[in-house]
Amino acid sequence: MTQTALAGAAATGTETVPAEAPANVRTVRARPAAKPHGQWKVDGKAPLNPVEVWKQDDDGLAVRQRIESIYSREGFDSIADDDLHGRFRWWGLYTQRKQGIDGGKTASLEPHELEDKYLMLRVRIDGGVLSTEQLRVIAGISTDFARGTADLTDRQNIQLHWVEIESVPEIWRRLESVGLSTTEACGDVPRVILGSPVAGIAKDEILDPSGFIEELNRRFIGNPEFSNLPRKYKTSITGHPNQDTVHEINDVSFVGVLHPELGPGYDLWVGGGLSTAPRLAKRVGVFVPPGDGPAVWEAVTSIFRDYGYRRMRNKARMKFLIDDWGIGKFRQILEEEYLGRKLPEGIVPPQAKALGDHIGVHEQKDGKFFIGTSPIVGRLSGDTLLALAEVLEAHGTHRLRTTPHQKILVLDVDGGDVESIIADLDAIGLSARPSIFRRATMACTGIEFCKLAIVNTKGTAAHAIAELEVRLADLIDSGELVQPIGLYINGCPNSCARIQTADIGLKGMMLPTDDGGHTPGFQVHLGGGLASVEREEAGLGRTVRGLKVPVDDLPDYVERVIRTYVANRTAGETFAEWSHRADEGLLQ
């Protein structure tokens, strides 16, 4: 065989080794062909891992029929494994953690050893839009079927725990009777659509995205065209200038802008996501007119479905596709292959002028007021939800919103009722004038219910808030500490509480003790944050080698580092700016 032929064989991925190659002919061994990524449009649809197998065997949406006709009647032990640990997620259901299992055993036990025969159920609330009628239904479900639990997530959902499979059909019936659902609240699907919680009411909004969100929900949620994506897929849409839907950490985001020539519309971002491989979303560089929003969302989502990586689950998010393609190629594929037309050049969203959590009292465009309130790290209950509905209705309003910051907004309050409703809300644990620590602390579910968690989060956060309010009162009273310092507490490395984007982010882990044992604690991340009134661009936190804090020492550490910041900052320097420039010794 000639050298040309040998080279050609190598190029096709074959290996050519003649039985008796002449001495003057170099044997060519081809490099192994690159493994396929499992991209449907490149590699075909043959499933390349066990999850992709069962997803193709039976769509996740199909499990509802089995839940209603078999599992809810025959009980937990009748549930097929692929359904319980896979397709149930398409309907907002996970098994919850068995009580009493130490965090040190999270990584060593098998999933079936960690899980209980109870379920976590996630109620999908796109855009955070709720009525008091819907709130009453969730409260009733919490009381009747979930031992009174109700947690507000940082994705505008409400999660219930202790749910038994036998109760699920009745829960669905109640939710759907008032226009709510659990459809695709989890799974490899378009999850809840984050939306500006002040859509349609804020005096200063650039445009109202309510219709956009409603159309996406109506056309695409529960649609088999998008019920088998490579992994979870998160959407954010806001028309508010304070950029209140954490757009930098979603797979696809639409950010309201006012184009100097084309008027109000959206700037498109793609490829955000945190977890163990954090990435901040990137601007595509296009302007999306309001009427084009659904078509552009459909096109971007179709790219993820068709080109997203399906061989390795830990590489199956949009952010890894963007890493490899770059924004230039992504835009080309979007416009040429999926939209069939060019989009106008976009503009960079201007910096926010205020915090995006909407805490406090704000006038609406109709002259009434909305009030942003803070529960403690999203921890609510069925009784609290019912009491909230009663407070609102007693003051003549029936609308509220959840936010991506574990907050609740009360809408449509008459000016004369503002102070009385604030007092009533405070009495049920919802503060419209929270301390800076309560306002800026978030926590995930934690070891109480999550099978992945290592440490307690909700209780740890509540204790830290109470301690810091007392310990740092002198700095607050003197005016030396005014702006909230974000304290985000996560029970494991997966960053459901967005630890890499916190001023002080805490990743749950087990820490060694002097006696050879272990104790729950945190790896500390410092100086992260999303674009806000305090920073022009998002940035990830700084990880200081060896900076780990036991759970019991958390209030001591936070007090110490904040006092050090106040003593050493320059004029106007934020905590994030200081923590990135400070010597490591000052951060300990």
Side-chain angles (χ1 to χ4, degrees):
M1 184 179 289
T2 66
Q3 290 291 329
T4 301
L6 288 168
T12 62
T14 61
E15 181 178 291
T16 303
V17 184
E20 296 181 1
N24 64 338
V25 175
R26 180 172 61 86
T27 300
V28 176
R29 293 184 182 274
R31 288 175 293 182
K35 290 184 177 180
H37 287 300
Q39 298 169 283
W40 279 0
K41 275 211 169 183
V42 177
D43 306 310
K45 293 188 177 183
L48 300 181
N49 66 54
V51 173
E52 289 296 315
V53 171
W54 63 251
K55 283 164 63 180
Q56 286 200 26
D57 284 346
D58 191 26
D59 191 281
L61 295 172
V63 77
R64 175 161 178 162
Q65 188 275 332
R66 291 191 287 279
I67 291 173
E68 292 178 325
S69 64
I70 302 173
Y71 303 145
S72 64
R73 299 178 182 181
E74 298 183 10
F76 187 91
D77 291 336
S78 70
I79 304 171
D81 186 74
D82 283 353
D83 286 345
L84 181 64
H85 299 110
R87 299 182 189 93
F88 266 39
R89 300 177 186 182
W90 273 242
W91 291 97
L93 296 164
Y94 286 95
T95 53
Q96 72 181 37
R97 187 186 188 92
K98 190 177 294 182
Q99 300 297 291
I101 298 179
D102 180 80
K105 297 180 180 178
T106 297
S108 61
L109 295 179
E110 295 295 322
H112 70 275
E113 297 176 293
L114 285 166
E115 69 187 8
D116 214 335
K117 293 185 178 182
Y118 295 97
L119 304 169
M120 179 275 285
L121 180 143
R122 184 176 293 159
V123 181
R124 183 183 183 117
I125 308 173
D126 293 282
V129 176
L130 279 175
S131 67
T132 53
E133 179 188 24
Q134 292 171 325
L135 196 64
R136 286 179 177 276
V137 167
I138 298 173
I141 293 170
S142 169
T143 301
D144 293 346
F145 303 115
R147 300 190 187 181
T149 58
D151 283 341
L152 178 60
T153 76
D154 59 9
R155 293 200 63 79
Q156 298 180 278
N157 297 307
I158 291 177
Q159 290 183 174
L160 309 177
H161 301 280
W162 298 109
V163 172
E164 297 176 300
I165 188 62
E166 292 85 350
S167 306
V168 171
E170 173 62 13
I171 291 172
W172 282 338
R173 186 194 68 76
R174 293 191 191 185
L175 290 173
E176 291 166 5
S177 73
V178 292
L180 293 172
S181 80
T182 69
T183 309
E184 295 184 340
C186 315
D188 297 353
V189 291
R191 303 220 181 160
V192 66
I193 300 165
L194 293 188
S196 172
V198 295
I201 64 167
K203 291 179 68 174
D204 55 348
E205 73 177 345
I206 299 166
L207 73 169
D208 179 1
S210 301
F212 185 1
I213 295 170
E214 290 166 3
E215 183 171 352
L216 295 186
N217 194 290
R218 176 178 56 82
R219 290 176 55 191
F220 301 117
I221 305 308
N223 182 339
E225 286 293 311
F226 298 107
S227 61
N228 181 0
L229 300 178
R231 278 286 304 277
K232 63 180 118 175
Y233 184 71
K234 298 180 178 181
T235 301
S236 157
I237 305 173
T238 184
H240 196 272
N242 290 345
Q243 300 171 20
D244 51 3
T245 58
V246 295
H247 62 276
E248 302 100 328
I249 55 173
N250 283 266
D251 295 282
V252 59
S253 294
F254 296 79
V255 182
V257 291
L258 186 61
H259 195 284
E261 298 171 359
L262 302 174
Y266 300 100
D267 192 49
L268 179 65
W269 297 60
V270 294
L274 296 178
S275 191
T276 56
R279 300 287 192 281
L280 295 172
K282 298 178 181 179
R283 295 185 60 243
V284 179
V286 297
F287 176 80
V288 180
D292 288 347
V296 172
W297 183 93
E298 182 179 13
V300 172
T301 310
S302 297
I303 290 173
F304 180 54
R305 178 195 61 202
D306 298 341
Y307 286 105
Y309 301 154
R310 293 176 182 262
R311 180 171 65 89
M312 298 173 62
R313 294 282 291 172
N314 63 354
K315 295 288 186 182
R317 293 293 300 276
M318 172 77 91
K319 58 189 176 184
F320 297 108
L321 182 65
I322 299 301
D323 276 353
D324 291 348
W325 275 11
I327 285 297
K329 179 175 179 179
F330 180 87
R331 179 174 177 175
Q332 179 182 5
I333 296 292
L334 171 68
E335 293 179 327
E336 296 180 3
E337 188 171 333
Y338 285 85
L339 289 176
R341 56 190 167 90
K342 294 282 188 181
L343 290 168
E345 291 298 315
I347 63 169
V348 177
Q351 185 172 356
K353 295 181 180 179
L355 293 174
D357 60 6
H358 302 296
I359 287 294
V361 180
H362 308 267
E363 188 175 2
Q364 299 177 179
K365 61 176 62 175
D366 63 0
K368 293 187 176 183
F369 293 85
F370 70 87
I371 302 173
T373 70
S374 177
I376 295 178
V377 293
R379 175 51 54 89
L380 301 167
S381 69
D383 288 344
T384 301
L385 297 180
L386 180 58
L388 176 59
E390 291 175 345
V391 167
L392 266 63
E393 291 170 358
H395 288 272
T397 179
H398 298 267
R399 293 201 298 165
L400 64 151
R401 303 274 171 87
T402 59
T403 85
H405 303 278
Q406 294 183 326
K407 306 295 186 282
I408 292 176
L409 310 188
V410 174
L411 312 188
D412 306 330
V413 179
D414 289 330
D417 285 342
V418 166
E419 290 303 322
S420 61
I421 198 171
I422 285 176
D424 290 346
L425 292 168
D426 196 56
I428 62 172
L430 299 174
S431 176
R433 298 182 177 113
S435 71
I436 62 173
F437 303 110
R438 178 168 173 173
R439 178 174 184 171
T441 300
M442 294 200 308
C444 71
T445 299
I447 199 171
E448 185 178 7
F449 297 116
C450 178
K451 301 190 298 290
L452 301 177
I454 300 167
V455 303
N456 177 286
T457 55
K458 297 289 190 184
T460 298
H463 174 68
I465 291 169
E467 286 288 314
L468 295 169
E469 287 174 342
V470 174
R471 296 185 186 199
L472 295 173
D474 60 314
L475 296 182
I476 296 171
D477 293 343
S478 67
E480 293 180 271
L481 194 59
V482 177
Q483 289 298 321
I485 294 177
L487 182 67
Y488 296 177
I489 301 178
N490 214 76
C492 76
N494 287 324
S495 202
C496 294
R498 311 200 292 252
I499 52 175
Q500 298 100 330
T501 62
D503 288 302
I504 304 173
L506 300 158
K507 178 174 69 179
M509 62 192 311
M510 299 305 294
L511 304 179
T513 57
D514 293 339
D515 61 3
H518 59 262
T519 188
F522 302 101
Q523 168 72 58
V524 181
H525 301 255
L526 294 168
L530 302 178
S532 71
V533 65
E534 294 187 337
R535 58 190 303 160
E536 291 187 19
E537 295 183 351
L540 300 177
R542 170 186 181 183
T543 303
V544 178
R545 186 179 299 276
L547 181 47
K548 298 171 183 177
V549 180
V551 166
D552 291 343
D553 296 341
L554 181 59
D556 293 340
Y557 172 72
V558 176
E559 178 188 6
R560 184 167 65 249
V561 76
I562 289 178
R563 288 191 182 279
T564 304
Y565 154 65
V566 171
N568 290 275
R569 65 187 172 185
T570 60
E573 188 174 35
T574 66
F575 181 87
E577 290 168 339
W578 171 79
S579 60
H580 274 285
R581 74 160 177 86
D583 292 339
E584 289 190 4
L586 293 176
L587 304 177
Q588 299 295 326

